[in-house]
mmCIF file of all heavy atoms in Angstrom:
data_model
loop_
_atom_site.group_PDB
_atom_site.id
_atom_site.type_symbol
_atom_site.label_atom_id
_atom_site.label_comp_id
_atom_site.label_asym_id
_atom_site.label_seq_id
_atom_site.Cartn_x
_atom_site.Cartn_y
_atom_site.Cartn_z
ATOM 1 N N ASP A 856 30.631 14.397 -1.405
ATOM 2 C CA ASP A 856 30.411 13.347 -2.404
ATOM 3 C C ASP A 856 30.458 11.949 -1.731
ATOM 4 O O ASP A 856 30.889 10.969 -2.171
ATOM 5 C CB ASP A 856 31.454 13.347 -3.470
ATOM 6 C CG ASP A 856 31.364 14.555 -4.425
ATOM 7 O OD1 ASP A 856 30.209 14.933 -4.706
ATOM 8 O OD2 ASP A 856 32.370 15.128 -4.791
ATOM 9 N N ALA A 857 29.793 11.887 -0.548
ATOM 10 C CA ALA A 857 29.597 10.663 0.118
ATOM 11 C C ALA A 857 28.744 9.712 -0.691
ATOM 12 O O ALA A 857 27.841 10.133 -1.451
ATOM 13 C CB ALA A 857 28.918 10.815 1.529
ATOM 14 N N ILE A 858 29.149 8.390 -0.696
ATOM 15 C CA ILE A 858 28.339 7.443 -1.431
ATOM 16 C C ILE A 858 27.012 7.143 -0.790
ATOM 17 O O ILE A 858 26.031 6.832 -1.516
ATOM 18 C CB ILE A 858 29.069 6.163 -1.711
ATOM 19 C CG1 ILE A 858 29.670 5.553 -0.421
ATOM 20 C CG2 ILE A 858 30.217 6.374 -2.728
ATOM 21 C CD1 ILE A 858 30.438 4.254 -0.595
ATOM 22 N N SER A 859 26.878 7.326 0.479
ATOM 23 C CA SER A 859 25.632 7.096 1.150
ATOM 24 C C SER A 859 25.571 7.901 2.431
ATOM 25 O O SER A 859 26.577 8.211 3.031
ATOM 26 C CB SER A 859 25.337 5.615 1.413
ATOM 27 O OG SER A 859 26.148 5.144 2.554
ATOM 28 N N ALA A 860 24.311 8.171 2.842
ATOM 29 C CA ALA A 860 24.040 8.609 4.222
ATOM 30 C C ALA A 860 22.887 7.689 4.737
ATOM 31 O O ALA A 860 21.955 7.354 4.036
ATOM 32 C CB ALA A 860 23.517 10.086 4.210
ATOM 33 N N ASP A 861 23.063 7.202 5.974
ATOM 34 C CA ASP A 861 22.259 6.088 6.421
ATOM 35 C C ASP A 861 21.504 6.404 7.655
ATOM 36 O O ASP A 861 21.901 7.174 8.497
ATOM 37 C CB ASP A 861 23.238 4.876 6.749
ATOM 38 C CG ASP A 861 24.037 4.489 5.594
ATOM 39 O OD1 ASP A 861 24.347 5.343 4.639
ATOM 40 O OD2 ASP A 861 24.460 3.325 5.489
ATOM 41 N N HIS A 862 20.336 5.745 7.880
ATOM 42 C CA HIS A 862 19.301 5.943 8.915
ATOM 43 C C HIS A 862 18.328 7.014 8.460
ATOM 44 O O HIS A 862 17.292 6.739 8.006
ATOM 45 C CB HIS A 862 19.900 6.266 10.271
ATOM 46 C CG HIS A 862 20.484 5.136 10.996
ATOM 47 N ND1 HIS A 862 19.733 4.070 11.490
ATOM 48 C CD2 HIS A 862 21.770 4.791 11.336
ATOM 49 C CE1 HIS A 862 20.489 3.172 12.098
ATOM 50 N NE2 HIS A 862 21.735 3.587 11.966
ATOM 51 N N LEU A 863 18.641 8.295 8.725
ATOM 52 C CA LEU A 863 17.931 9.457 8.146
ATOM 53 C C LEU A 863 16.507 9.707 8.621
ATOM 54 O O LEU A 863 15.756 10.449 7.970
ATOM 55 C CB LEU A 863 17.904 9.315 6.621
ATOM 56 C CG LEU A 863 19.310 9.144 5.946
ATOM 57 C CD1 LEU A 863 19.087 9.005 4.411
ATOM 58 C CD2 LEU A 863 20.184 10.318 6.287
ATOM 59 N N GLU A 864 16.111 9.203 9.810
ATOM 60 C CA GLU A 864 14.769 9.454 10.257
ATOM 61 C C GLU A 864 14.436 10.946 10.444
ATOM 62 O O GLU A 864 13.332 11.380 10.235
ATOM 63 C CB GLU A 864 14.544 8.725 11.575
ATOM 64 C CG GLU A 864 14.313 7.233 11.453
ATOM 65 C CD GLU A 864 15.573 6.415 11.443
ATOM 66 O OE1 GLU A 864 16.643 6.983 11.154
ATOM 67 O OE2 GLU A 864 15.467 5.170 11.690
ATOM 68 N N TYR A 865 15.499 11.727 10.813
ATOM 69 C CA TYR A 865 15.257 13.217 11.035
ATOM 70 C C TYR A 865 15.800 13.966 9.961
ATOM 71 O O TYR A 865 16.074 15.231 10.199
ATOM 72 C CB TYR A 865 15.805 13.537 12.417
ATOM 73 C CG TYR A 865 15.015 13.025 13.572
ATOM 74 C CD1 TYR A 865 15.128 11.700 14.016
ATOM 75 C CD2 TYR A 865 14.046 13.811 14.206
ATOM 76 C CE1 TYR A 865 14.386 11.233 15.101
ATOM 77 C CE2 TYR A 865 13.282 13.327 15.258
ATOM 78 C CZ TYR A 865 13.411 12.027 15.606
ATOM 79 O OH TYR A 865 12.666 11.578 16.681
ATOM 80 N N LEU A 866 16.059 13.500 8.814
ATOM 81 C CA LEU A 866 16.635 14.238 7.699
ATOM 82 C C LEU A 866 15.720 15.432 7.234
ATOM 83 O O LEU A 866 14.477 15.147 7.058
ATOM 84 C CB LEU A 866 16.868 13.337 6.433
ATOM 85 C CG LEU A 866 17.437 13.902 5.250
ATOM 86 C CD1 LEU A 866 18.842 14.358 5.490
ATOM 87 C CD2 LEU A 866 17.349 12.876 4.145
ATOM 88 N N GLY A 867 16.294 16.576 7.137
ATOM 89 C CA GLY A 867 15.514 17.773 6.708
ATOM 90 C C GLY A 867 15.740 17.987 5.220
ATOM 91 O O GLY A 867 16.489 17.291 4.479
ATOM 92 N N GLN A 868 14.995 19.008 4.709
ATOM 93 C CA GLN A 868 15.017 19.335 3.316
ATOM 94 C C GLN A 868 16.382 19.686 2.773
ATOM 95 O O GLN A 868 16.780 19.377 1.663
ATOM 96 C CB GLN A 868 14.024 20.474 2.956
ATOM 97 C CG GLN A 868 13.797 20.664 1.492
ATOM 98 C CD GLN A 868 13.210 19.434 0.841
ATOM 99 O OE1 GLN A 868 12.243 18.828 1.319
ATOM 100 N NE2 GLN A 868 13.722 18.998 -0.342
ATOM 101 N N ASP A 869 17.232 20.418 3.637
ATOM 102 C CA ASP A 869 18.559 20.769 3.207
ATOM 103 C C ASP A 869 19.409 19.535 2.915
ATOM 104 O O ASP A 869 20.187 19.498 1.952
ATOM 105 C CB ASP A 869 19.238 21.668 4.225
ATOM 106 C CG ASP A 869 19.349 21.038 5.567
ATOM 107 O OD1 ASP A 869 18.533 20.146 5.834
ATOM 108 O OD2 ASP A 869 20.185 21.529 6.364
ATOM 109 N N GLY A 870 19.225 18.545 3.761
ATOM 110 C CA GLY A 870 19.943 17.320 3.573
ATOM 111 C C GLY A 870 19.424 16.603 2.342
ATOM 112 O O GLY A 870 20.239 15.992 1.533
ATOM 113 N N ILE A 871 18.142 16.503 2.091
ATOM 114 C CA ILE A 871 17.607 15.878 0.893
ATOM 115 C C ILE A 871 18.127 16.581 -0.325
ATOM 116 O O ILE A 871 18.564 15.900 -1.302
ATOM 117 C CB ILE A 871 16.046 15.949 0.950
ATOM 118 C CG1 ILE A 871 15.482 15.071 2.082
ATOM 119 C CG2 ILE A 871 15.522 15.515 -0.454
ATOM 120 C CD1 ILE A 871 13.980 15.235 2.214
ATOM 121 N N ASP A 872 18.129 17.918 -0.373
ATOM 122 C CA ASP A 872 18.579 18.660 -1.495
ATOM 123 C C ASP A 872 20.064 18.383 -1.827
ATOM 124 O O ASP A 872 20.435 18.190 -2.962
ATOM 125 C CB ASP A 872 18.397 20.153 -1.334
ATOM 126 C CG ASP A 872 16.905 20.532 -1.314
ATOM 127 O OD1 ASP A 872 16.024 19.711 -1.794
ATOM 128 O OD2 ASP A 872 16.572 21.663 -0.825
ATOM 129 N N ALA A 873 20.869 18.308 -0.770
ATOM 130 C CA ALA A 873 22.293 18.044 -0.934
ATOM 131 C C ALA A 873 22.544 16.698 -1.497
ATOM 132 O O ALA A 873 23.373 16.383 -2.287
ATOM 133 C CB ALA A 873 23.032 18.288 0.390
ATOM 134 N N MET A 874 21.716 15.688 -0.875
ATOM 135 C CA MET A 874 21.973 14.253 -1.344
ATOM 136 C C MET A 874 21.567 14.205 -2.857
ATOM 137 O O MET A 874 22.141 13.512 -3.587
ATOM 138 C CB MET A 874 21.177 13.408 -0.507
ATOM 139 C CG MET A 874 21.713 13.260 0.915
ATOM 140 S SD MET A 874 20.673 12.271 2.019
ATOM 141 C CE MET A 874 20.873 10.634 1.298
ATOM 142 N N ALA A 875 20.487 14.834 -3.264
ATOM 143 C CA ALA A 875 20.026 14.799 -4.640
ATOM 144 C C ALA A 875 21.067 15.359 -5.502
ATOM 145 O O ALA A 875 21.323 14.875 -6.585
ATOM 146 C CB ALA A 875 18.717 15.501 -4.779
ATOM 147 N N GLU A 876 21.663 16.482 -5.140
ATOM 148 C CA GLU A 876 22.593 17.226 -5.974
ATOM 149 C C GLU A 876 23.900 16.413 -6.221
ATOM 150 O O GLU A 876 24.447 16.432 -7.302
ATOM 151 C CB GLU A 876 22.940 18.559 -5.358
ATOM 152 C CG GLU A 876 23.952 19.382 -6.106
ATOM 153 C CD GLU A 876 24.296 20.701 -5.542
ATOM 154 O OE1 GLU A 876 23.619 21.072 -4.497
ATOM 155 O OE2 GLU A 876 25.264 21.409 -6.013
ATOM 156 N N HIS A 877 24.315 15.743 -5.224
ATOM 157 C CA HIS A 877 25.625 14.944 -5.239
ATOM 158 C C HIS A 877 25.419 13.557 -5.505
ATOM 159 O O HIS A 877 26.474 12.781 -5.535
ATOM 160 C CB HIS A 877 26.381 15.249 -3.921
ATOM 161 C CG HIS A 877 26.808 16.640 -3.807
ATOM 162 N ND1 HIS A 877 27.963 17.172 -4.305
ATOM 163 C CD2 HIS A 877 26.177 17.742 -3.183
ATOM 164 C CE1 HIS A 877 28.084 18.470 -4.031
ATOM 165 N NE2 HIS A 877 26.992 18.826 -3.380
ATOM 166 N N GLY A 878 24.226 13.026 -5.642
ATOM 167 C CA GLY A 878 24.091 11.557 -5.928
ATOM 168 C C GLY A 878 24.280 10.638 -4.808
ATOM 169 O O GLY A 878 24.572 9.429 -4.952
ATOM 170 N N THR A 879 24.115 11.163 -3.575
ATOM 171 C CA THR A 879 24.392 10.313 -2.399
ATOM 172 C C THR A 879 23.120 9.476 -2.096
ATOM 173 O O THR A 879 21.980 9.894 -2.150
ATOM 174 C CB THR A 879 24.602 11.248 -1.123
ATOM 175 O OG1 THR A 879 25.737 12.065 -1.377
ATOM 176 C CG2 THR A 879 24.776 10.388 0.095
ATOM 177 N N VAL A 880 23.311 8.195 -1.887
ATOM 178 C CA VAL A 880 22.226 7.222 -1.742
ATOM 179 C C VAL A 880 21.688 7.325 -0.315
ATOM 180 O O VAL A 880 22.520 7.441 0.705
ATOM 181 C CB VAL A 880 22.679 5.793 -2.056
ATOM 182 C CG1 VAL A 880 21.586 4.800 -1.754
ATOM 183 C CG2 VAL A 880 23.149 5.682 -3.465
ATOM 184 N N ALA A 881 20.402 7.331 -0.133
ATOM 185 C CA ALA A 881 19.797 7.229 1.201
ATOM 186 C C ALA A 881 19.622 5.747 1.548
ATOM 187 O O ALA A 881 18.867 5.022 0.913
ATOM 188 C CB ALA A 881 18.385 7.893 1.163
ATOM 189 N N VAL A 882 20.310 5.268 2.599
ATOM 190 C CA VAL A 882 20.220 3.964 3.068
ATOM 191 C C VAL A 882 19.278 3.864 4.242
ATOM 192 O O VAL A 882 19.628 4.424 5.323
ATOM 193 C CB VAL A 882 21.572 3.366 3.372
ATOM 194 C CG1 VAL A 882 21.426 1.906 3.904
ATOM 195 C CG2 VAL A 882 22.488 3.347 2.179
ATOM 196 N N LEU A 883 18.145 3.271 4.174
ATOM 197 C CA LEU A 883 17.148 3.230 5.232
ATOM 198 C C LEU A 883 17.294 1.883 5.938
ATOM 199 O O LEU A 883 17.463 0.831 5.313
ATOM 200 C CB LEU A 883 15.766 3.425 4.688
ATOM 201 C CG LEU A 883 15.591 4.690 3.879
ATOM 202 C CD1 LEU A 883 14.077 4.825 3.507
ATOM 203 C CD2 LEU A 883 16.015 5.860 4.578
ATOM 204 N N LEU A 884 17.104 1.888 7.254
ATOM 205 C CA LEU A 884 17.441 0.697 8.116
ATOM 206 C C LEU A 884 16.187 0.403 8.928
ATOM 207 O O LEU A 884 16.143 0.741 10.131
ATOM 208 C CB LEU A 884 18.642 0.983 8.939
ATOM 209 C CG LEU A 884 19.849 1.392 8.133
ATOM 210 C CD1 LEU A 884 20.999 1.907 9.029
ATOM 211 C CD2 LEU A 884 20.353 0.316 7.193
ATOM 212 N N PRO A 885 15.191 -0.289 8.359
ATOM 213 C CA PRO A 885 13.958 -0.481 9.103
ATOM 214 C C PRO A 885 14.070 -1.423 10.297
ATOM 215 O O PRO A 885 13.285 -1.412 11.179
ATOM 216 C CB PRO A 885 13.025 -1.094 8.099
ATOM 217 C CG PRO A 885 13.940 -1.694 7.010
ATOM 218 C CD PRO A 885 15.119 -0.811 6.964
ATOM 219 N N GLY A 886 15.150 -2.252 10.309
ATOM 220 C CA GLY A 886 15.357 -3.087 11.499
ATOM 221 C C GLY A 886 15.622 -2.337 12.708
ATOM 222 O O GLY A 886 15.077 -2.675 13.837
ATOM 223 N N ALA A 887 16.340 -1.253 12.684
ATOM 224 C CA ALA A 887 16.657 -0.395 13.776
ATOM 225 C C ALA A 887 15.369 0.416 14.149
ATOM 226 O O ALA A 887 15.044 0.572 15.354
ATOM 227 C CB ALA A 887 17.837 0.573 13.503
ATOM 228 N N TYR A 888 14.665 0.879 13.118
ATOM 229 C CA TYR A 888 13.374 1.607 13.373
ATOM 230 C C TYR A 888 12.423 0.694 14.193
ATOM 231 O O TYR A 888 11.791 1.114 15.157
ATOM 232 C CB TYR A 888 12.897 2.044 12.064
ATOM 233 C CG TYR A 888 11.528 2.732 12.114
ATOM 234 C CD1 TYR A 888 11.443 4.100 12.126
ATOM 235 C CD2 TYR A 888 10.313 2.041 12.121
ATOM 236 C CE1 TYR A 888 10.240 4.791 12.174
ATOM 237 C CE2 TYR A 888 9.072 2.665 12.154
ATOM 238 C CZ TYR A 888 9.079 4.087 12.172
ATOM 239 O OH TYR A 888 7.827 4.790 12.207
ATOM 240 N N TYR A 889 12.376 -0.517 13.786
ATOM 241 C CA TYR A 889 11.481 -1.499 14.455
ATOM 242 C C TYR A 889 11.934 -1.827 15.830
ATOM 243 O O TYR A 889 11.156 -1.824 16.745
ATOM 244 C CB TYR A 889 11.425 -2.762 13.563
ATOM 245 C CG TYR A 889 10.655 -3.978 14.183
ATOM 246 C CD1 TYR A 889 9.388 -4.182 14.105
ATOM 247 C CD2 TYR A 889 11.490 -4.999 14.812
ATOM 248 C CE1 TYR A 889 8.747 -5.272 14.590
ATOM 249 C CE2 TYR A 889 10.875 -6.072 15.385
ATOM 250 C CZ TYR A 889 9.504 -6.212 15.292
ATOM 251 O OH TYR A 889 8.930 -7.328 15.828
ATOM 252 N N THR A 890 13.192 -2.172 15.986
ATOM 253 C CA THR A 890 13.740 -2.635 17.272
ATOM 254 C C THR A 890 13.625 -1.479 18.367
ATOM 255 O O THR A 890 13.306 -1.734 19.493
ATOM 256 C CB THR A 890 15.175 -3.119 17.183
ATOM 257 O OG1 THR A 890 15.191 -4.174 16.192
ATOM 258 C CG2 THR A 890 15.739 -3.554 18.469
ATOM 259 N N LEU A 891 13.893 -0.287 17.930
ATOM 260 C CA LEU A 891 13.867 0.885 18.853
ATOM 261 C C LEU A 891 12.507 1.383 19.030
ATOM 262 O O LEU A 891 12.229 2.387 19.769
ATOM 263 C CB LEU A 891 14.777 1.988 18.339
ATOM 264 C CG LEU A 891 16.284 1.635 18.306
ATOM 265 C CD1 LEU A 891 17.081 2.745 17.659
ATOM 266 C CD2 LEU A 891 16.826 1.357 19.721
ATOM 267 N N ARG A 892 11.492 0.865 18.324
ATOM 268 C CA ARG A 892 10.121 1.326 18.324
ATOM 269 C C ARG A 892 10.066 2.850 18.059
ATOM 270 O O ARG A 892 9.286 3.619 18.664
ATOM 271 C CB ARG A 892 9.445 0.967 19.713
ATOM 272 C CG ARG A 892 9.504 -0.482 19.999
ATOM 273 C CD ARG A 892 9.000 -0.842 21.360
ATOM 274 N NE ARG A 892 7.484 -0.595 21.430
ATOM 275 C CZ ARG A 892 6.791 -0.842 22.520
ATOM 276 N NH1 ARG A 892 7.400 -1.168 23.634
ATOM 277 N NH2 ARG A 892 5.475 -0.576 22.510
ATOM 278 N N GLU A 893 10.775 3.214 17.058
ATOM 279 C CA GLU A 893 10.839 4.570 16.584
ATOM 280 C C GLU A 893 9.518 4.999 16.022
ATOM 281 O O GLU A 893 8.720 4.180 15.526
ATOM 282 C CB GLU A 893 11.944 4.752 15.563
ATOM 283 C CG GLU A 893 12.135 6.106 14.955
ATOM 284 C CD GLU A 893 12.495 7.166 16.003
ATOM 285 O OE1 GLU A 893 13.651 7.185 16.526
ATOM 286 O OE2 GLU A 893 11.568 7.921 16.402
ATOM 287 N N THR A 894 9.174 6.286 16.088
ATOM 288 C CA THR A 894 7.975 6.802 15.556
ATOM 289 C C THR A 894 8.214 7.822 14.449
ATOM 290 O O THR A 894 7.241 8.183 13.705
ATOM 291 C CB THR A 894 7.097 7.404 16.676
ATOM 292 O OG1 THR A 894 7.784 8.490 17.302
ATOM 293 C CG2 THR A 894 6.662 6.348 17.627
ATOM 294 N N GLN A 895 9.411 8.317 14.367
ATOM 295 C CA GLN A 895 9.725 9.269 13.335
ATOM 296 C C GLN A 895 10.202 8.624 12.062
ATOM 297 O O GLN A 895 11.237 7.927 11.941
ATOM 298 C CB GLN A 895 10.946 10.233 13.822
ATOM 299 C CG GLN A 895 11.442 11.175 12.811
ATOM 300 C CD GLN A 895 10.521 12.391 12.609
ATOM 301 O OE1 GLN A 895 9.803 12.708 13.498
ATOM 302 N NE2 GLN A 895 10.625 12.988 11.451
ATOM 303 N N LEU A 896 9.284 8.683 11.078
ATOM 304 C CA LEU A 896 9.573 8.000 9.774
ATOM 305 C C LEU A 896 10.605 8.834 8.992
ATOM 306 O O LEU A 896 10.612 10.050 8.993
ATOM 307 C CB LEU A 896 8.336 7.910 8.919
ATOM 308 C CG LEU A 896 7.364 6.866 9.299
ATOM 309 C CD1 LEU A 896 5.994 7.120 8.660
ATOM 310 C CD2 LEU A 896 7.848 5.457 8.956
ATOM 311 N N PRO A 897 11.541 8.098 8.223
ATOM 312 C CA PRO A 897 12.333 8.869 7.262
ATOM 313 C C PRO A 897 11.455 9.554 6.232
ATOM 314 O O PRO A 897 10.348 9.135 5.975
ATOM 315 C CB PRO A 897 13.156 7.719 6.614
ATOM 316 C CG PRO A 897 13.028 6.539 7.472
ATOM 317 C CD PRO A 897 11.701 6.650 8.190
ATOM 318 N N PRO A 898 11.962 10.686 5.677
ATOM 319 C CA PRO A 898 11.129 11.424 4.768
ATOM 320 C C PRO A 898 11.085 10.772 3.344
ATOM 321 O O PRO A 898 11.710 11.286 2.372
ATOM 322 C CB PRO A 898 11.925 12.790 4.682
ATOM 323 C CG PRO A 898 13.293 12.396 4.892
ATOM 324 C CD PRO A 898 13.268 11.334 5.896
ATOM 325 N N ILE A 899 10.354 9.710 3.267
ATOM 326 C CA ILE A 899 10.324 8.844 2.056
ATOM 327 C C ILE A 899 9.854 9.703 0.807
ATOM 328 O O ILE A 899 10.532 9.713 -0.206
ATOM 329 C CB ILE A 899 9.411 7.637 2.234
ATOM 330 C CG1 ILE A 899 9.879 6.770 3.392
ATOM 331 C CG2 ILE A 899 9.298 6.871 0.939
ATOM 332 C CD1 ILE A 899 11.109 6.080 3.173
ATOM 333 N N GLN A 900 8.738 10.418 1.019
ATOM 334 C CA GLN A 900 8.251 11.165 -0.140
ATOM 335 C C GLN A 900 9.153 12.235 -0.610
ATOM 336 O O GLN A 900 9.319 12.561 -1.735
ATOM 337 C CB GLN A 900 6.858 11.762 0.187
ATOM 338 C CG GLN A 900 6.076 12.209 -1.046
ATOM 339 C CD GLN A 900 5.943 11.095 -2.064
ATOM 340 O OE1 GLN A 900 5.453 10.014 -1.822
ATOM 341 N NE2 GLN A 900 6.267 11.419 -3.303
ATOM 342 N N GLY A 901 9.797 12.879 0.397
ATOM 343 C CA GLY A 901 10.753 13.954 0.038
ATOM 344 C C GLY A 901 11.948 13.425 -0.718
ATOM 345 O O GLY A 901 12.377 14.011 -1.683
#
């Protein structure tokens, strides 16, 4: 029952399902994505 899970670029479907079931908020941090020049997007549509 975590209130949030943060970053989540490599989050899989099992994590998405668990967060949906327990109401855990996905906190996305585009500043880190930008600064690190990351290429793996968080699973927004999922």
Side-chain angles (χ1 to χ4, degrees):
D856 294 320
I858 51 177
S859 76
D861 304 27
H862 283 292
L863 305 179
E864 283 86 342
Y865 287 83
L866 180 68
Q868 190 61 48
D869 58 337
I871 293 173
D872 292 342
M874 293 175 68
E876 180 180 353
H877 293 273
T879 301
V880 177
V882 178
L883 306 184
L884 306 170
Y888 180 94
Y889 170 86
T890 301
L891 295 173
R892 302 176 70 181
E893 180 59 76
T894 57
Q895 176 76 25
L896 284 165
I899 301 291
Q900 193 58 49

